[in-house]
Amino acid sequence: MDIVVTGTGYVGLVAGVCFADVGHNVTCIDVNEARISLMQKGISPIYEKDLQELMQKNAEKGRIRYTTDYANTYKNAEVIFIGVGTPENPDGSANLEYVEIVSKQIAENIENDCLVVVKSTVPVGTNERVEKIIKDNLKNNVKVEVASNPEFLAQGNAVHDMLHAKRVIIGIESKSAEKKLNEIYKPFNLPIVSMNRRSAEMVKYACNSFLALKISYMNEIANLCKIVGADIEEVAKGMSYDDRIGAKFLNAGIGYGGSCFPKDTKALNYLAEQNGYELKTVKATIEVNEEQRKRLIKKAKKCFKSFEGKKIAVLGLAFKPETDDLREAPSIDNIKYLVNQGANVYTYDPIASNNFKEKYDDEKIMYAKNPTEALKDADACFIFTEWNEIKDIKPEQYKELMSNPSVFDGRNIYDINEMKENGIDYHSIGR
Ligand code: UGA
């Protein structure tokens, strides 16, 4: 089938490439010309495992193309997926500006009957809003249907998550929309779950908020473990054998980040407030996460009277491993705090350093080429991302390299006893 995908970020580009890979003819649209010309050369604008290879493979097979020319592309489109960003507004609500612009552009240009599918994460009721915008702005007498199809891709594993999804959620209001989406997803051979559009929109927020809640819950239990002499790693292991709880998302740490959990928990909380309902669990999830991010720095403040003139190593900038994404990364506020307190911060990240430098340039932030350079003569070290390159650092290296081996580990990478045996003043979460 011919498919148009608008927006070439993590959602749109991954979806477009995977649709092409299962045999559809895909046109990806973006307003960013530099991005489009990069993709036309077979280069992925984002770092995502397997993505660039699949882009090149499907371009060679002539199944995917990239363009900024939305007007001509929409003209004869049969199916258009909207995969543009829905960032956070200052009040916590989702910013639907881009979704609305695209809806209007679709309305003004389509000349044939068309199914518009909203893939972006959008608050309950947005599909109806998109339908209204399109119907209000149609220039031609055509039939348009709008369906919801939220994505469940985790960055770093997005291609795999799309090709081998646990399920495909489709929110539809008609048999014809359902039939078309079933046809699109048939080659993926995955379970397809149909429901109404509002439910489909809610599934996405409910999933992300539940996972965020699971993390915040573990972080609170971790903090209590520390107080009462239990070890969160042992507790999590003990919990993981209960398959009603499951083994995933039990890792306590410096708090969740990324473009999804922080934004989606706030948007769900906002939606509840707007509807006069207090969503206590999600509110608590957000609060716990905000506190958790400051936990290690508070601990460090107790150990060091001042950070003034100190060399502080920071290992890991990205919000999680296998991505260069810094959105809502715990490293950001912590580094800003250290710099404000007069520290010289030597960071190391295998991929995200350039992104960090572009966004938060400061003469007090240095970018080391390897962990050794960051750790050399440092007075303290913070670990914010559990990259393999960081996990590979041996405890004795901290002792050898740092002038004062004080390690604040936000990802519980190391065995406490081993760190102690190596003479390291080691602080982690919940142990
Ligand atoms: C998340 C969801 O996992 C996806 O299913 C969803 O589709 C996506 O959001 C989205 O809405 O687009 P992502 O944000 O890429 O994916 O990353 P995760 O792997 O879920 O991690 C999110 C944050 O939670 C990271 O900061 C990670 O370090 C933290 N985390 C994760 C923990 O602190 N503990 C854990 O046990 C797991």
Side-chain angles (χ1 to χ4, degrees):
M1 194 182 292
D2 289 339
I3 295 176
V4 176
V5 182
T6 300
T8 61
Y10 286 96
V11 177
L13 181 58
V14 173
V17 170
C18 292
F19 285 143
D21 204 52
V22 298
H24 297 303
N25 279 318
V26 179
T27 306
C28 293
I29 296 178
D30 204 294
V31 287
N32 185 330
E33 281 182 21
R35 208 176 171 93
I36 288 291
S37 82
L38 211 59
M39 293 186 287
Q40 284 167 340
K41 292 184 198 116
I43 301 166
S44 170
I46 50 175
Y47 174 78
E48 191 60 55
K49 199 162 67 201
D50 300 332
L51 185 62
Q52 191 158 294
E53 290 75 7
L54 284 194
M55 285 171 73
Q56 289 166 3
K57 174 184 145 195
N58 287 290
E60 274 164 28
K61 295 197 170 183
R63 291 200 293 240
I64 191 157
R65 53 188 280 274
Y66 308 92
T67 180
T68 52
D69 183 4
Y70 63 83
N72 274 313
T73 309
Y74 290 151
K75 221 184 235 178
N76 301 309
E78 189 183 349
V79 183
I80 303 168
F81 279 82
I82 301 180
V84 293
T86 51
E88 186 183 318
N89 278 324
D91 62 2
S93 62
N95 178 347
L96 297 174
E97 187 188 345
Y98 306 112
V99 172
E100 289 173 358
I101 292 171
V102 170
S103 306
K104 201 154 175 267
Q105 288 168 340
I106 291 173
E108 286 167 352
N109 289 287
I110 46 174
E111 292 181 2
N112 287 318
D113 293 354
C114 176
L115 174 66
V116 175
V117 189
V118 182
K119 216 174 210 330
S120 306
T121 299
V122 291
V124 176
T126 305
N127 272 255
E128 282 156 39
R129 196 157 147 189
V130 167
E131 189 169 277
K132 185 169 185 323
I133 294 172
I134 296 179
K135 291 197 168 148
D136 287 350
N137 289 281
L138 275 179
K139 292 274 179 293
N140 294 297
N141 185 18
V142 294
K143 187 177 160 227
V144 183
E145 288 195 275
V146 176
S148 163
N149 172 223
E151 54 80 26
F152 300 93
L153 321 170
Q155 281 174 233
N157 212 32
V159 170
H160 177 273
D161 286 351
M162 169 113 190
L163 292 174
H164 307 282
K166 298 270 183 251
R167 74 321 201 177
V168 176
I169 299 288
I170 56 176
I172 32 89
E173 302 296 328
S174 74
K175 283 279 164 219
S176 58
E178 184 175 23
K179 190 165 167 263
K180 196 155 271 176
L181 278 161
N182 273 317
E183 223 175 289
I184 292 169
Y185 278 104
K186 194 162 184 267
F188 287 86
N189 203 16
L190 299 166
I192 298 176
V193 188
S194 304
M195 57 190 72
N196 75 37
R197 290 188 302 206
R198 286 184 171 242
S199 301
E201 290 169 326
M202 184 57 105
V203 169
K204 170 69 192 207
Y205 281 102
C207 281
N208 271 3
S209 296
F210 181 76
L211 293 170
L213 169 71
K214 203 172 174 188
I215 298 168
S216 275
Y217 176 77
M218 291 310 285
N219 283 337
E220 281 223 284
I221 294 292
N223 299 342
L224 185 60
C225 279
K226 175 77 186 163
I227 299 167
V228 299
D231 180 326
I232 189 62
E233 297 300 315
E234 290 174 359
V235 172
K237 188 173 171 202
M239 291 170 72
S240 71
Y241 282 83
D242 186 334
D243 57 17
R244 292 170 305 176
I245 294 172
K248 293 185 178 148
F249 276 72
L250 293 181
N251 295 333
I254 189 76
Y256 59 77
S259 65
C260 307
F261 290 173
K263 159 175 90 70
D264 294 350
T265 43
K266 284 182 213 160
L268 188 60
N269 187 45
Y270 183 87
L271 180 81
E273 274 174 6
Q274 290 301 96
N275 287 279
Y277 185 74
E278 192 188 2
L279 202 52
K280 289 182 186 159
T281 47
V282 174
K283 224 175 175 178
T285 301
I286 299 165
E287 278 168 25
V288 169
N289 200 54
E290 277 162 12
E291 281 303 306
Q292 197 68 11
R293 287 189 183 180
K294 300 177 201 146
R295 207 154 179 92
L296 280 183
I297 209 96
K298 275 188 182 163
K299 218 175 244 183
K301 245 168 90 180
K302 279 192 189 151
C303 303
F304 294 86
K305 283 197 188 71
S306 154
F307 291 112
E308 184 70 44
K310 296 258 185 310
K311 172 172 175 177
I312 310 289
V314 167
L315 303 179
L317 297 169
F319 84 93
K320 67 171 188 178
E322 304 308 325
T323 177
D324 61 354
D325 199 334
L326 291 167
R327 283 176 287 180
E328 294 277 345
S331 64
I332 299 167
D333 287 345
N334 282 297
I335 290 176
K336 278 187 187 164
Y337 178 83
L338 288 166
V339 167
N340 278 341
Q341 297 290 307
N344 297 309
V345 180
Y346 282 69
T347 68
Y348 166 73
D349 189 289
I351 306 234
S353 293
N354 283 343
N355 278 355
F356 202 95
K357 199 173 184 173
E358 269 173 32
K359 291 196 178 86
Y360 311 100
D361 198 19
D362 189 299
E363 58 179 18
K364 283 194 158 305
I365 307 176
M366 266 61 75
Y367 298 89
K369 285 186 212 62
N370 49 53
T372 308
E373 204 182 308
L375 289 170
K376 184 107 184 63
D377 301 325
D379 298 293
C381 166
F382 286 87
I383 301 173
F384 292 133
T385 322
E386 66 277 34
W387 286 99
N388 284 335
E389 288 86 340
I390 295 168
K391 284 189 194 160
D392 285 345
I393 306 169
K394 302 260 175 306
E396 50 268 32
Q397 287 175 273
Y398 292 98
K399 178 78 179 163
E400 278 161 27
L401 292 164
M402 296 174 72
S403 73
N404 169 45
S406 204
V407 175
F408 297 84
D409 179 0
R411 297 296 178 180
N412 288 2
I413 289 178
Y414 293 101
D415 183 89
I416 303 188
N417 291 330
E418 215 184 321
M419 291 299 261
K420 226 183 237 167
E421 282 157 19
N422 278 281
I424 296 157
D425 179 26
Y426 180 62
H427 305 265
S428 57
I429 305 281
R431 307 186 289 175

